[in-house]
Amino acid sequence: MFGEEKSVGVAVLGLGNVGSEVVRIIEDSAEDLAARIGAPLALRGVGVRRVVADRGVPVELLTDNIEELVSRDDVDIVIEVMGPVEPARKAILSALENGKSVVTANKALLSVSTGELAQAAESAHVDLYFEAAVAGAIPVIRPLTQSLAGDTVLRVAGIVNGTTNYILSQMASTGVDYETALADASALGYAEADPTADVEGYDAAAKAAILASIAFHTRVTADDVYREGITKITPADFASAKALGCTIKLLSICERVTDDEGQQRVSARVYPALVPLKHPLAAVNGAFNAVVVEAKAAGRLMFYGQGAGGAPTASAVTGDLVMAARNRVMRSRGPRESRYAKLPVLPIGMVSTRYYVNMYVADEPGVLSLLAAEFAKRDVSIAEMRQEGVADEGGQRVAARIVVITHRATDAALSETVAALEGLDAVHRVASVLRLEGNSE
């Protein structure tokens, strides 16, 4: 049916879980993809680190010469799924400079080099698609760039890392500590051998930078995103969360903040937070992801599904491939980078939210009033303060566990308060500080 149509040549860089699945979809769904595009796809080559047989792809398609592959005249679209930042950045720039449209799932690269790559795509009049860079198969990028293009996005918040969500879900449901939940995630293949990028929030921060850039028409990099990980979360925190009608999730939050003078800024942050059980994100468990978008006219929209894995990510990559290939056939282009707003990034110290403070203090009279005074000195209003158990040694009570819930306060004021508390002789230690999100009180 498409015999007279010129094929759209495709090069795939990387043959791991995602790359292998992309190649499989291109081959197994060739007829359907051709019908959707208006021309057949032709796999021209697969870039790998080492050319060896038995990779599930004819060996003649494999090459370790990435530069040559992305500059071939018969390649129209380059799919980059090899990571990390380098050599992917060099390969993508070379592809764009050679007039190839690019589809990538590389969130680490995009979070630091979006502007450079977007400019290269603009100069070459080609497409740069990256739906798979955030939340795997969940369609988030395209709704923000296209479906909501006529609306004003106010906030994008979600769970965008499956590893940490699995760990926190296990802690919530079974009562185990962080180390045990991490070991379970590793045994099931949800956590990498080195889980630092996930558990310390770097992966989620990279995705937050991408989402904030798109939602607010402003270039935001990973360095602009405030980040905290989940390694200090304890079973005691989950017990307190349950008593408050909450659970704990690692959230990526991007929002448009308007001050009293009408000045707009962008806030992008990643941290573990208490989330009310009635909030839709509280029910997102296991390795699943979800993103809630709030827009002025559209209201609240939620996107939910598998955020990682070879097949889900390959689904998003292939969706971008179809869009880029269709544009080639139609001699058109997809949406360009939108950065006209150029909003400044709000420092974390100016971000206002509610807080949960868990501390161990001397079990003696007058301590509670001493603690309350330190909060009052910095205008941090206490909504609730209660004792939630004691620590003992040899049958002797040596410390009381105190939990404080605040009203809304700035991060700077809360940080100063915590520093002051830690300097008190009556305070043995401040065990944890968490934000409360999804509740406007």
Side-chain angles (χ1 to χ4, degrees):
M1 181 168 66
F2 299 96
E4 297 182 0
E5 295 285 349
K6 182 181 182 296
S7 297
V8 178
V10 179
V12 177
L13 309 184
L15 199 56
N17 290 338
V18 178
S20 297
E21 188 67 17
V22 169
V23 170
R24 184 196 66 77
I25 294 173
I26 291 174
E27 294 175 343
D28 292 355
S29 304
E31 187 172 341
D32 284 343
L33 293 176
R36 296 166 194 171
I37 293 167
L41 296 175
L43 184 62
R44 304 299 190 193
V46 179
V48 293
R49 291 180 181 175
R50 292 185 301 112
V51 176
V52 294
D54 301 323
R55 295 293 301 273
V57 175
V59 71
E60 60 269 19
L61 287 177
L62 302 178
T63 178
D64 58 5
N65 192 334
I66 303 297
E67 182 69 25
E68 180 184 45
L69 177 60
V70 301
S71 62
R72 281 172 48 173
D73 291 339
D74 61 348
V75 169
D76 300 295
I77 300 171
V78 172
I79 298 173
E80 185 278 307
V81 286
M82 60 181 179
V85 172
E86 293 292 359
R89 174 182 166 278
K90 180 180 178 181
I92 291 176
L93 283 174
S94 180
L96 293 171
E97 289 164 0
N98 279 281
K100 321 300 182 184
S101 292
V102 169
V103 173
T104 179
N106 198 326
K107 69 257 183 186
L109 172 60
L110 289 165
S111 71
V112 296
S113 298
T114 297
E116 180 183 28
L117 301 182
Q119 184 57 53
E122 184 66 27
S123 297
H125 304 289
V126 294
D127 287 326
L128 174 65
Y129 282 111
F130 46 90
E131 181 69 67
V134 179
I138 304 172
V140 177
I141 303 299
R142 196 164 290 118
L144 286 173
T145 56
Q146 298 182 40
S147 303
L148 296 173
D151 207 336
T152 299
V153 176
L154 304 175
R155 180 180 170 97
V156 182
I159 298 164
V160 296
N161 183 273
T163 299
T164 52
N165 200 49
Y166 178 84
I167 292 171
L168 294 176
S169 295
Q170 284 295 100
M171 293 179 70
S173 62
T174 67
V176 299
D177 60 16
Y178 165 78
E179 289 77 12
T180 301
L182 173 60
D184 187 24
S186 298
L188 292 173
Y190 291 135
E192 300 287 345
D194 179 1
T196 302
D198 294 321
V199 300
E200 293 292 356
Y202 290 101
D203 175 82
K207 296 170 181 175
I210 295 169
L211 290 172
S213 297
I214 296 169
F216 307 123
H217 308 281
T218 297
R219 282 184 183 170
V220 178
T221 70
D223 289 339
D224 295 321
V225 181
Y226 176 80
R227 173 194 54 78
E228 291 180 17
I230 67 167
T231 57
K232 296 180 181 179
I233 303 299
T234 67
D237 293 327
F238 273 99
S240 294
K242 184 177 181 180
L244 293 167
C246 297
T247 189
I248 300 173
K249 298 292 184 182
L250 182 71
L251 299 182
S252 294
I253 301 172
C254 312
E255 64 181 337
R256 185 190 302 266
V257 180
T258 305
D259 63 22
D260 294 337
E261 299 177 355
Q263 170 68 42
Q264 292 190 351
R265 292 184 174 90
V266 171
S267 171
R269 54 200 194 266
V270 169
Y271 44 60
L274 275 72
V275 179
L277 294 176
K278 62 184 179 181
H279 193 280
L281 290 177
V284 179
N285 292 311
F288 280 79
N289 285 190
V291 177
V292 175
V293 177
E294 296 179 27
K296 185 177 291 186
R300 177 185 285 181
L301 308 171
M302 182 169 175
F303 304 88
Y304 168 85
Q306 295 187 57
T313 304
S315 171
V317 169
T318 310
D320 279 349
L321 170 61
V322 169
M323 296 297 294
R326 187 181 294 159
N327 290 342
R328 284 274 173 163
V329 172
M330 300 296 293
R331 300 175 188 254
S332 62
R333 290 181 60 193
R336 281 72 155 172
E337 180 194 26
S338 176
R339 56 186 178 89
Y340 71 88
K342 299 180 181 178
L343 299 177
V345 176
L346 186 71
I348 187 63
M350 296 176 66
V351 173
S352 177
T353 187
R354 301 182 68 204
Y355 293 89
Y356 152 95
V357 183
N358 170 30
M359 68 191 98
Y360 289 88
V361 305
D363 187 25
E364 56 189 42
V367 171
L368 293 184
S369 59
L370 181 64
L371 301 179
E374 293 300 328
F375 282 87
K377 286 177 185 177
R378 293 155 188 90
D379 294 324
V380 179
S381 175
I382 294 176
E384 184 177 350
M385 178 186 288
R386 64 174 183 264
Q387 182 172 321
E388 291 196 349
V390 297
D392 61 65
E393 293 178 2
Q396 297 295 315
R397 290 164 60 120
V398 296
R401 177 169 174 260
I402 302 297
V403 168
V404 175
I405 307 298
T406 76
H407 290 295
R408 296 187 72 86
T410 65
D411 189 271
L414 197 282
S415 296
E416 290 175 8
T417 303
V418 170
L421 292 171
E422 291 175 329
L424 297 177
D425 291 338
V427 176
H428 293 194
R429 65 188 176 95
V430 177
S432 55
V433 178
L434 297 173
R435 283 90 172 168
L436 280 76
E437 295 288 350
N439 191 322
S440 60
E441 292 181 12

